[in-house]
């Protein structure tokens, strides 16, 4: 047992990091009677939480069937059944609504606060922490974690303060958007403590290309298309929906949610993307449509009529591609072969994928502590039973749509409950 000096206080729980997972755990343990301290290095809590969902906070996904919900965690669902059976997305819904934060369900079952303000989610959680008597020390960067055998005993901050507790939680987040405070500190400590940590890389992130015509379409959205990711001549992944062109490549939820698989493919070799702008129309039917358009406008320049069936900027870029090269041509001069090549291009507009944007632009980072080293019944380390591991610190791949924050609520609530139960037993 550590001997405390002078007025040094021992907490039941110290949570390192005041993001959504840390606040949830602190609030839950506090309401069950634990003496809790949150140490947060920023000037306030929940910096990343407040920018989620473009400032609206997609706080969970209203898929209340746990099996179906966990189908979104293909590599980790076997670990997550236990915590999700204790606190699921349905519990999240009730939790926030009971705390007088009305929620709304939008497309793809994404859940937002009715006020459309991430800040309201943040305020609800901060109140939860304070109402349980939790102490919050901001501007308190933890720089050292001290252990005795397989027990964490204290932490030290940059200011030279030392804090003691019976239990500790690493809720320092991952390594995406580090300006919010998630600089991967937890990963470094876990390594030192003897845990296995997979190096974080950008995930849920836009894709990049060096093909200039894509960059030139920056700001254009195709609201219904099919994109195929092709390797060695074979389609490896196919998705239908909306795509946004940017000055570096392509983005939008569909692309962001393909980034993990595309990155995995790129480890094996070159990847090409191919967009079908008319996924519902067979090539021969599209050809007939273009033929009709041509017959109606025989004496016009093609660049002035193609925008009848394609966004103008997209039409212009396609017509300028070296293998099409029709921009200034009068329709009556276009050969059948040239028309067919154009139609083929509209069904398979391809560009090379060069990679993804970096960690700073990613929603999450894949990487983190190996799941085999975590006890998912209570979210503790299997090496240090008084060390809890929450949220983005876990190596869990998932799509966008509220699944990341749900992981924070679930792991935070289960861990907080465990601390409370330890006290009350
Ligand atoms: C732009 C953007 C939009 C997003 N939108 C959504 C969305 O709509 N829905 C969704 O589900 N997910 C979204 N996410 C993902 C989601 O924000 C994260 O999964 C979530 O914030 C992870 O929570 P966390 O508690 O694990 O860590 P974080 O939120 O990263 O919090 C970690 C905290 O620990 C603190 N900390 C770190 N090191 C130390 C230290 N040494 N000492 C003290 N404190 C420390 C940090 O300052 C930070 O406050 C988004 C992410 C981004 C970047």
């Amino acid at each position: 047992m550590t001997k405390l000096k002078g007025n040094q206080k021992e907490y039941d729980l110290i949570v390192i990091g005041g993001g959504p997972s840390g606040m949830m755990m602190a609030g839950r343990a506090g309401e069950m009677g634990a003496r809790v301290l949150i140490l947060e290095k920023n000037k306030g809590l929940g910096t990343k939480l407040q920018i989620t969902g473009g400032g609206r906070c997609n706080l969970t996904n209203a898929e209340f069937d746990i099996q179906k919900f966990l189908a979104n965690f293909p590599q980790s669902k076997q670990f997550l059944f236990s915590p999700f059976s204790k606190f699921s997305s349905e519990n999240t819904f009730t939790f926030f609504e009971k705390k007088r934060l009305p929620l709304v369900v939008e497309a793809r079952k994404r859940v937002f606060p009715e006020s459309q303000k991430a800040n309201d989610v943040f305020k609800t959680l901060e109140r939860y922490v304070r109402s349980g008597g939790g102490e919050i020390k901001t501007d308190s960067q933890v720089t050292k974690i001290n252990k005795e055998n397989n027990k964490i005993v204290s932490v030290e901050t940059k200011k030279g303060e030392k804090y003691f507790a019976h239990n500790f939680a690493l809720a320092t987040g991952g390594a995406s958007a580090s300006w919010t405070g998630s600089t991967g500190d937890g990963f470094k400590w876990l390594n030192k403590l003897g845990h296995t940590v997979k190096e974080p890389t950008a995930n849920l992130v836009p894709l990049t290309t060096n093909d200039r015509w894509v960059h030139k379409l920056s700001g254009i959205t195709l609201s219904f298309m099919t994109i195929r990711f092709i390797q060695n001549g074979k389609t490896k992944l196919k998705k239908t929906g909306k795509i946004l062109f940017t000055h570096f490549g392509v983005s939008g939820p569909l692309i962001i949610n393909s980034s993990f698989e595309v990155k995995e493919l790129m480890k094996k070799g070159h990847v090409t993307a191919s967009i079908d702008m008319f996924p519902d129309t067979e090539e021969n039917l599209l050809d007939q449509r273009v033929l009709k358009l041509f017959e109606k406008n025989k004496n016009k320049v093609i660049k002035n009529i193609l925008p009848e069936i394609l966004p103008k900027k997209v039409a212009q870029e396609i017509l300028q591609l070296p293998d099409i090269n029709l921009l200034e041509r009068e329709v009556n001069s276009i050969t059948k072969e040239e028309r067919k090549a154009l139609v083929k291009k509209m069904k398979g507009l391809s560009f090379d994928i060069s990679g993804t944007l970096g960690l700073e632009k990613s929603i999450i980072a894949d990487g983190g502590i190996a799941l085999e080293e975590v006890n998912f019944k209570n979210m503790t380390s299997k090496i240090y039973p008084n060390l809890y591991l929450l949220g983005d610190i876990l190596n869990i791949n998932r799509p966008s749509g509220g699944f990341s924050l749900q992981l924070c609520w679930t792991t935070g609530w289960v861990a907080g409950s465990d601390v409370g139960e330890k006290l009350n037993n």
Side-chain angles (χ1 to χ4, degrees), residues 291-304:
L291 189 58
K292 263 195 198 152
L293 182 74
F294 278 17
E295 280 168 353
K296 226 173 62 189
N297 299 282
K298 278 185 190 135
N299 299 321
K300 295 200 176 144
V301 176
I302 187 168
K303 71 174 181 193
N304 297 327

Side-chain angles (χ1 to χ4, degrees), residues 121-355:
V121 179
F122 161 68
K123 282 194 292 197
T124 305
L125 274 173
E126 198 186 35
R127 263 199 311 272
Y128 184 44
V129 175
R130 292 195 193 278
S131 69
E135 267 181 60
I136 297 171
K137 284 189 194 290
T138 53
D139 213 356
S140 296
Q141 180 179 352
V142 173
T143 48
K144 199 164 178 228
I145 296 187
N146 300 310
K147 62 166 185 151
E148 275 171 19
N149 300 316
N150 67 339
K151 209 173 158 205
I152 308 297
V153 288
S154 62
V155 292
E156 293 173 42
T157 66
K158 202 175 172 183
K159 292 180 193 158
E161 293 150 337
K162 195 168 184 177
Y163 297 98
F164 299 85
H166 299 293
N167 299 286
F168 293 83
L170 269 190
T172 44
S176 72
S178 64
W179 59 272
T180 61
S182 334
T183 43
D185 295 11
F187 299 150
K188 288 174 211 146
W189 293 321
L190 284 168
N191 257 325
K192 274 197 185 158
L193 288 167
H195 271 296
T196 314
V197 178
K198 185 179 171 277
E199 191 66 27
T201 59
N203 193 8
L204 294 187
V205 65
L207 301 175
T208 56
T209 179
N210 294 323
D211 289 16
R212 298 250 318 124
W213 65 265
V214 176
H215 306 172
K216 286 203 240 156
L217 291 177
S218 176
I220 302 281
T221 297
L222 291 179
S223 45
F224 182 63
M225 55 92 232
T226 290
I227 187 163
R228 289 182 174 77
F229 294 97
I230 298 165
Q231 190 163 59
N232 301 327
K234 285 195 186 132
T235 297
K236 299 286 184 178
L237 178 69
K238 179 181 156 191
K239 294 216 172 158
T240 298
K242 196 152 114 181
I243 192 174
L244 169 70
F245 293 99
T246 68
H247 63 281
F248 51 77
V250 284
S251 189
L254 184 103
I255 295 298
I256 283 173
N257 282 325
S258 308
S259 60
F260 180 80
E261 285 146 300
V262 173
K263 270 190 341 161
E264 289 298 301
L265 274 179
M266 288 188 81
K267 287 181 191 161
K268 295 183 211 146
H270 184 80
V271 177
T272 302
S274 171
I275 296 174
D276 180 350
M277 292 187 286
F278 296 87
D280 275 355
T281 313
E282 297 289 332
E283 195 170 310
N284 62 331
L285 294 177
L286 183 61
D287 188 35
Q288 283 173 29
R289 196 168 154 198
V290 172
L291 189 58
K292 263 195 198 152
L293 182 74
F294 278 17
E295 280 168 353
K296 226 173 62 189
N297 299 282
K298 278 185 190 135
N299 299 321
K300 295 200 176 144
V301 176
I302 187 168
K303 71 174 181 193
N304 297 327
I305 61 151
L306 204 57
E308 282 191 29
I309 57 170
L310 281 179
K312 189 172 174 191
K313 260 181 125 177
V314 178
Q316 288 207 338
E317 288 308 323
I318 291 184
L319 291 170
Q320 287 180 84
L321 290 172
D323 51 342
I324 298 293
N325 202 12
L326 291 172
L327 188 69
E328 301 295 345
R329 290 271 296 276
E330 261 184 34
V331 168
N332 58 25
S333 76
I334 295 173
T335 65
K336 184 176 168 191
E337 286 67 36
E338 285 171 327
R339 189 191 73 231
K340 289 211 177 268
L342 175 63
V343 168
K344 219 174 219 8
K345 192 59 89 181
M346 296 194 305
K347 294 283 292 172
L349 186 56
S350 60
F351 54 95
D352 291 334
I353 301 290
S354 57

Side-chain angles (χ1 to χ4, degrees), residues 17 20-21 40-41 52-53 58 142 173 181-182 185 189 363 392 405 408:
S21 66
E40 165 56 53
K41 75 172 170 191
T52 53
N58 174 195
V142 173
S182 334
D185 295 11
W189 293 321
I363 291 181
D392 276 6
L405 285 174
C408 292

